[in-house]
Amino acid sequence: MQNRYLVIDVGNTNIEMGIYSDAGYVCSWRFESEVNRTEDEYFAVIRSLAAEHEIDLQQVETCCVASVVPELSRIFGHLFHKYLTAEIVNVTAYTPLGLSFPMSDPGFIGADLIVNAYEALNKYNTNCIVCDFGTATTVQLVGADGFFYGTLIAPGIIISSSNLFQKASLLTKIQLESPKQTLGINTRDALLSGIVMGHSLMVDSFIRKIRKEYAHLGEFKVVLTGGISHLVGNNLEEETI
């Protein structure tokens, strides 16, 4: 029987889980992050989803967790201790992934940034600008040698637009999609241009500025990830993967 691995990404908005075997990907799920759920409630959800794929969680050899929500980190810690026998790996800046940092104590760097840097480096083996579109939008640079140069954090496109709709009485919430043109001739199109194209222009500018400031490193690949990366990516001028 092949080994089973449970991989968990705990974000501010969603929790994503995947089961892998020695042969590769098996299945995955996504559900909403909720700090008011107990470890028992979370385990009931996980066990039910695993059962749909005829997976026994007791067969999981290793569980790897990357969390940016301290409250949920504690809840999942209780869950693992109570229900699983797997080896638990919590990804932090101290996890030996071949990365190095410009500060003596990198412990404050979020697990999401660590995972993004590692995966980009491992997959492309070159300098990578990684743009992650989630609750926050982050743009980071990892060198071909595994050096973590730094990151920037901006409000995510969804949380920014939601706040706009809440504060502006005359603006109605819309489904986000690519704008058809720069200047809208109705409220919906104007919002799409301002929200989606505006976010894309911001990211484009950051990418170009990073390329210029770190030109001495040589070539870069720009990697997009996150739940709405396709939406922003379709409106970027910079070449991305």
Side-chain angles (χ1 to χ4, degrees):
M1 180 181 295
Q2 294 185 349
N3 293 324
R4 301 278 190 174
Y5 309 95
L6 174 62
V7 180
I8 305 176
D9 175 16
V10 181
N12 290 290
T13 304
N14 294 303
I15 297 171
E16 298 193 47
M17 295 188 177
I19 297 285
Y20 291 78
S21 71
D22 292 332
Y25 171 82
V26 177
C27 60
S28 61
W29 321 287
R30 173 188 288 190
F31 47 89
E32 186 177 358
S33 300
E34 179 51 70
V35 296
N36 293 322
R37 277 182 173 173
T38 66
E39 65 267 23
D40 302 318
E41 292 172 320
Y42 270 115
F43 181 71
V45 172
I46 299 169
R47 181 175 57 186
S48 175
L49 293 170
E52 293 179 6
H53 295 270
E54 300 182 347
I55 294 173
D56 181 359
L57 292 176
Q58 296 307 314
Q59 295 176 353
V60 172
E61 297 280 337
T62 304
C63 181
C64 184
V65 186
S67 174
V68 296
V69 186
E71 298 91 337
L72 291 176
S73 298
R74 289 190 289 271
I75 291 171
F76 275 92
H78 294 316
L79 184 156
F80 301 142
H81 179 75
K82 187 173 183 178
Y83 289 109
L84 300 181
T85 59
E87 175 190 4
I88 308 301
V89 177
N90 286 295
V91 177
T92 70
Y94 307 118
T95 305
L97 298 175
L99 300 174
S100 57
F101 304 90
M103 67 287 292
S104 58
D105 185 1
F108 67 93
I109 300 175
D112 54 339
L113 297 173
I114 301 299
V115 170
N116 284 345
Y118 171 77
E119 178 60 17
L121 181 64
N122 187 59
K123 187 170 184 178
Y124 300 108
N125 196 33
T126 188
N127 303 305
C128 291
I129 299 172
V130 186
C131 307
D132 189 350
F133 303 98
T135 304
T137 292
T138 61
V139 182
Q140 65 187 102
L141 173 61
V142 58
D145 59 354
F147 189 76
F148 182 96
Y149 283 89
T151 189
L152 62 91
I153 304 173
I157 189 170
I158 293 178
I159 197 170
S160 298
S161 59
S162 295
N163 189 59
L164 174 63
F165 298 138
Q166 290 175 2
K167 300 296 184 180
S169 301
L170 293 178
L171 299 181
T172 303
K173 185 175 181 180
I174 59 172
Q175 180 69 36
L176 295 180
E177 58 185 53
S178 293
K180 298 178 181 178
Q181 57 193 36
T182 302
L183 297 179
I185 57 174
N186 55 57
T187 302
R188 178 181 177 278
D189 289 347
L191 283 168
L192 287 176
S193 184
I195 294 170
V196 179
M197 191 177 295
H199 207 79
S200 302
L201 288 170
M202 176 191 74
V203 174
D204 263 329
S205 295
F206 277 129
I207 293 171
R208 286 193 287 267
K209 193 167 183 63
I210 292 169
R211 283 189 188 276
K212 183 177 179 179
E213 289 186 12
Y214 296 90
H216 62 280
L217 295 179
E219 295 297 317
F220 296 86
K221 287 189 181 296
V222 180
V223 184
L224 306 185
T225 186
I228 59 168
S229 58
H230 64 285
L231 177 62
V232 181
N234 289 338
N235 292 276
L236 292 178
E237 294 181 357
E238 292 290 318
E239 182 178 349
T240 65
I241 52 177

